[in-house]
Short mmCIF file of all heavy atoms in Angstrom, two decimals:
data_model
loop_
_atom_site.label_atom_id
_atom_site.label_comp_id
_atom_site.label_asym_id
_atom_site.label_seq_id
_atom_site.Cartn_x
_atom_site.Cartn_y
_atom_site.Cartn_z
N MET A 114 3.00 13.42 -28.36
CA MET A 114 4.24 13.01 -29.02
C MET A 114 5.03 14.22 -29.52
O MET A 114 6.27 14.21 -29.50
CB MET A 114 3.92 12.07 -30.18
CG MET A 114 3.30 10.75 -29.76
SD MET A 114 3.01 9.63 -31.15
CE MET A 114 4.70 9.22 -31.61
N ILE A 129 12.82 3.25 -23.53
CA ILE A 129 11.73 2.27 -23.40
C ILE A 129 10.39 2.98 -23.24
O ILE A 129 9.37 2.54 -23.78
CB ILE A 129 11.98 1.33 -22.20
CG1 ILE A 129 13.32 0.60 -22.38
CG2 ILE A 129 10.86 0.31 -22.07
CD1 ILE A 129 13.41 -0.26 -23.62
N LEU A 130 10.39 4.08 -22.52
CA LEU A 130 9.17 4.87 -22.36
C LEU A 130 8.68 5.35 -23.73
O LEU A 130 7.48 5.25 -24.04
CB LEU A 130 9.45 6.07 -21.45
CG LEU A 130 8.30 7.04 -21.19
CD1 LEU A 130 7.20 6.36 -20.42
CD2 LEU A 130 8.80 8.28 -20.45
N TRP A 131 9.59 5.84 -24.56
CA TRP A 131 9.23 6.32 -25.89
C TRP A 131 8.77 5.17 -26.79
O TRP A 131 7.76 5.29 -27.49
CB TRP A 131 10.43 7.03 -26.51
CG TRP A 131 10.24 7.38 -27.97
CD1 TRP A 131 10.81 6.76 -29.03
CD2 TRP A 131 9.45 8.44 -28.51
NE1 TRP A 131 10.42 7.34 -30.21
CE2 TRP A 131 9.58 8.38 -29.91
CE3 TRP A 131 8.64 9.43 -27.94
CZ2 TRP A 131 8.93 9.28 -30.76
CZ3 TRP A 131 7.99 10.33 -28.79
CH2 TRP A 131 8.14 10.25 -30.18
N LEU A 132 9.49 4.06 -26.75
CA LEU A 132 9.13 2.92 -27.61
C LEU A 132 7.76 2.36 -27.24
O LEU A 132 6.98 1.99 -28.12
CB LEU A 132 10.20 1.83 -27.50
CG LEU A 132 11.58 2.18 -28.06
CD1 LEU A 132 12.55 1.02 -27.83
CD2 LEU A 132 11.51 2.54 -29.53
N SER A 133 7.47 2.30 -25.94
CA SER A 133 6.14 1.81 -25.53
C SER A 133 5.05 2.76 -26.02
O SER A 133 3.96 2.32 -26.40
CB SER A 133 6.08 1.65 -24.01
OG SER A 133 6.21 2.90 -23.35
N GLY A 134 5.33 4.06 -26.03
CA GLY A 134 4.37 5.02 -26.56
C GLY A 134 4.17 4.85 -28.06
O GLY A 134 3.04 4.97 -28.56
N CYS A 135 5.25 4.56 -28.80
CA CYS A 135 5.13 4.33 -30.24
C CYS A 135 4.30 3.08 -30.53
O CYS A 135 3.49 3.07 -31.48
CB CYS A 135 6.51 4.20 -30.86
SG CYS A 135 7.48 5.72 -30.86
N VAL A 136 4.49 2.04 -29.74
CA VAL A 136 3.68 0.83 -29.91
C VAL A 136 2.21 1.15 -29.65
O VAL A 136 1.31 0.68 -30.38
CB VAL A 136 4.16 -0.29 -28.97
CG1 VAL A 136 3.20 -1.49 -29.00
CG2 VAL A 136 5.56 -0.73 -29.34
N MET A 137 1.93 1.96 -28.63
CA MET A 137 0.55 2.33 -28.35
C MET A 137 -0.07 3.13 -29.49
O MET A 137 -1.27 3.02 -29.77
CB MET A 137 0.47 3.13 -27.04
CG MET A 137 0.52 2.26 -25.80
SD MET A 137 -0.02 3.12 -24.32
CE MET A 137 1.34 4.26 -24.11
N LEU A 138 0.73 3.96 -30.17
CA LEU A 138 0.22 4.69 -31.33
C LEU A 138 -0.24 3.72 -32.41
O LEU A 138 -1.32 3.89 -32.99
CB LEU A 138 1.29 5.63 -31.87
CG LEU A 138 0.92 6.38 -33.16
CD1 LEU A 138 -0.25 7.31 -32.92
CD2 LEU A 138 2.12 7.14 -33.71
N LEU A 139 0.58 2.70 -32.70
CA LEU A 139 0.18 1.70 -33.70
C LEU A 139 -1.07 0.95 -33.27
O LEU A 139 -1.97 0.69 -34.09
CB LEU A 139 1.33 0.72 -33.93
CG LEU A 139 2.64 1.29 -34.48
CD1 LEU A 139 3.67 0.19 -34.68
CD2 LEU A 139 2.39 2.02 -35.80
N LEU A 140 -1.15 0.59 -31.99
CA LEU A 140 -2.34 -0.09 -31.48
C LEU A 140 -3.56 0.80 -31.57
O LEU A 140 -4.66 0.33 -31.90
CB LEU A 140 -2.10 -0.53 -30.03
CG LEU A 140 -1.10 -1.65 -29.81
CD1 LEU A 140 -0.78 -1.80 -28.33
CD2 LEU A 140 -1.61 -2.97 -30.38
N LEU A 141 -3.40 2.07 -31.27
CA LEU A 141 -4.51 3.01 -31.36
C LEU A 141 -5.00 3.14 -32.79
O LEU A 141 -6.21 3.22 -33.04
CB LEU A 141 -4.07 4.36 -30.81
CG LEU A 141 -5.12 5.48 -30.80
CD1 LEU A 141 -6.33 5.08 -29.97
CD2 LEU A 141 -4.51 6.78 -30.28
N MET A 142 -4.08 3.15 -33.75
CA MET A 142 -4.48 3.20 -35.15
C MET A 142 -5.25 1.96 -35.56
O MET A 142 -6.25 2.03 -36.27
CB MET A 142 -3.24 3.36 -36.04
CG MET A 142 -2.60 4.72 -35.95
SD MET A 142 -1.15 4.85 -37.01
CE MET A 142 -0.76 6.59 -36.79
N ALA A 143 -4.77 0.79 -35.09
CA ALA A 143 -5.48 -0.46 -35.38
C ALA A 143 -6.86 -0.46 -34.75
O ALA A 143 -7.84 -0.90 -35.36
CB ALA A 143 -4.66 -1.65 -34.89
N PHE A 204 -7.73 -5.51 -29.06
CA PHE A 204 -6.93 -4.28 -29.01
C PHE A 204 -7.13 -3.49 -27.71
O PHE A 204 -6.14 -2.97 -27.16
CB PHE A 204 -7.22 -3.41 -30.23
CG PHE A 204 -6.71 -3.99 -31.52
CD1 PHE A 204 -7.46 -3.93 -32.69
CD2 PHE A 204 -5.47 -4.61 -31.58
CE1 PHE A 204 -6.99 -4.47 -33.87
CE2 PHE A 204 -4.98 -5.15 -32.76
CZ PHE A 204 -5.75 -5.08 -33.91
N ILE A 207 -4.92 -5.09 -25.03
CA ILE A 207 -3.50 -4.84 -25.26
C ILE A 207 -3.16 -3.39 -24.96
O ILE A 207 -2.12 -3.09 -24.35
CB ILE A 207 -3.12 -5.21 -26.70
CG1 ILE A 207 -3.39 -6.70 -26.98
CG2 ILE A 207 -1.65 -4.90 -26.96
CD1 ILE A 207 -3.13 -7.10 -28.41
N ILE A 208 -4.03 -2.46 -25.37
CA ILE A 208 -3.78 -1.04 -25.10
C ILE A 208 -3.73 -0.77 -23.61
O ILE A 208 -2.85 -0.05 -23.12
CB ILE A 208 -4.87 -0.18 -25.79
CG1 ILE A 208 -4.67 -0.20 -27.31
CG2 ILE A 208 -4.83 1.26 -25.27
CD1 ILE A 208 -5.78 0.48 -28.08
N GLY A 210 -2.93 -2.83 -21.28
CA GLY A 210 -1.67 -3.39 -20.78
C GLY A 210 -0.49 -2.47 -21.05
O GLY A 210 0.37 -2.26 -20.18
N PHE A 211 -0.45 -1.87 -22.24
CA PHE A 211 0.65 -0.97 -22.57
C PHE A 211 0.53 0.37 -21.83
O PHE A 211 1.55 0.99 -21.53
CB PHE A 211 0.71 -0.73 -24.08
CG PHE A 211 1.63 -1.68 -24.80
CD1 PHE A 211 1.15 -2.86 -25.34
CD2 PHE A 211 2.99 -1.41 -24.90
CE1 PHE A 211 2.00 -3.75 -25.98
CE2 PHE A 211 3.85 -2.28 -25.55
CZ PHE A 211 3.35 -3.46 -26.08
N VAL A 212 -0.68 0.80 -21.55
CA VAL A 212 -0.85 2.02 -20.74
C VAL A 212 -0.24 1.79 -19.35
O VAL A 212 0.47 2.66 -18.81
CB VAL A 212 -2.33 2.40 -20.63
CG1 VAL A 212 -2.54 3.47 -19.56
CG2 VAL A 212 -2.84 2.91 -21.97
N PHE A 214 2.08 -0.42 -18.57
CA PHE A 214 3.54 -0.54 -18.73
C PHE A 214 4.17 0.84 -18.97
O PHE A 214 5.24 1.15 -18.42
CB PHE A 214 3.85 -1.47 -19.90
CG PHE A 214 5.31 -1.63 -20.20
CD1 PHE A 214 6.14 -2.32 -19.33
CD2 PHE A 214 5.86 -1.07 -21.35
CE1 PHE A 214 7.50 -2.46 -19.60
CE2 PHE A 214 7.21 -1.21 -21.63
CZ PHE A 214 8.03 -1.89 -20.74
N HIS A 215 3.52 1.67 -19.77
CA HIS A 215 4.00 3.02 -20.06
C HIS A 215 4.09 3.85 -18.78
O HIS A 215 5.07 4.58 -18.56
CB HIS A 215 3.05 3.69 -21.06
CG HIS A 215 3.57 4.96 -21.65
ND1 HIS A 215 4.65 5.03 -22.51
CD2 HIS A 215 3.14 6.24 -21.51
CE1 HIS A 215 4.87 6.27 -22.87
NE2 HIS A 215 3.96 7.04 -22.28
N LEU A 329 5.83 5.37 -40.14
CA LEU A 329 5.48 5.12 -38.75
C LEU A 329 6.65 4.53 -37.97
O LEU A 329 6.91 4.90 -36.83
CB LEU A 329 4.28 4.17 -38.67
CG LEU A 329 2.93 4.75 -39.10
CD1 LEU A 329 1.91 3.64 -39.30
CD2 LEU A 329 2.43 5.75 -38.06
N LEU A 330 7.36 3.62 -38.59
CA LEU A 330 8.46 2.94 -37.91
C LEU A 330 9.64 3.88 -37.64
O LEU A 330 10.44 3.60 -36.75
CB LEU A 330 8.92 1.74 -38.73
CG LEU A 330 7.88 0.62 -38.92
CD1 LEU A 330 8.44 -0.49 -39.78
CD2 LEU A 330 7.43 0.07 -37.57
N PHE A 332 9.64 6.60 -36.17
CA PHE A 332 9.55 7.14 -34.80
C PHE A 332 10.29 6.24 -33.80
O PHE A 332 10.82 6.73 -32.79
CB PHE A 332 8.09 7.28 -34.38
CG PHE A 332 7.38 8.44 -35.04
CD1 PHE A 332 6.48 8.22 -36.07
CD2 PHE A 332 7.64 9.74 -34.64
CE1 PHE A 332 5.82 9.28 -36.67
CE2 PHE A 332 7.00 10.81 -35.25
CZ PHE A 332 6.08 10.58 -36.27
N PHE A 333 10.32 4.94 -34.06
CA PHE A 333 10.99 4.01 -33.16
C PHE A 333 12.50 4.24 -33.12
O PHE A 333 13.16 3.86 -32.15
CB PHE A 333 10.70 2.57 -33.58
CG PHE A 333 9.30 2.11 -33.30
CD1 PHE A 333 8.26 2.42 -34.16
CD2 PHE A 333 9.02 1.36 -32.16
CE1 PHE A 333 6.97 2.00 -33.91
CE2 PHE A 333 7.73 0.92 -31.90
CZ PHE A 333 6.69 1.25 -32.76
#
Side-chain angles (χ1 to χ4, degrees):
M114 295 183 68
I129 302 300
L130 179 66
W131 171 255
L132 293 178
S133 64
C135 292
V136 172
M137 280 196 290
L138 175 64
L139 297 181
L140 290 170
L141 181 59
M142 289 180 174
F204 291 139
I207 299 176
I208 289 174
F211 267 93
V212 168
F214 178 70
H215 192 67
L329 289 166
L330 296 178
F332 286 105
F333 288 82

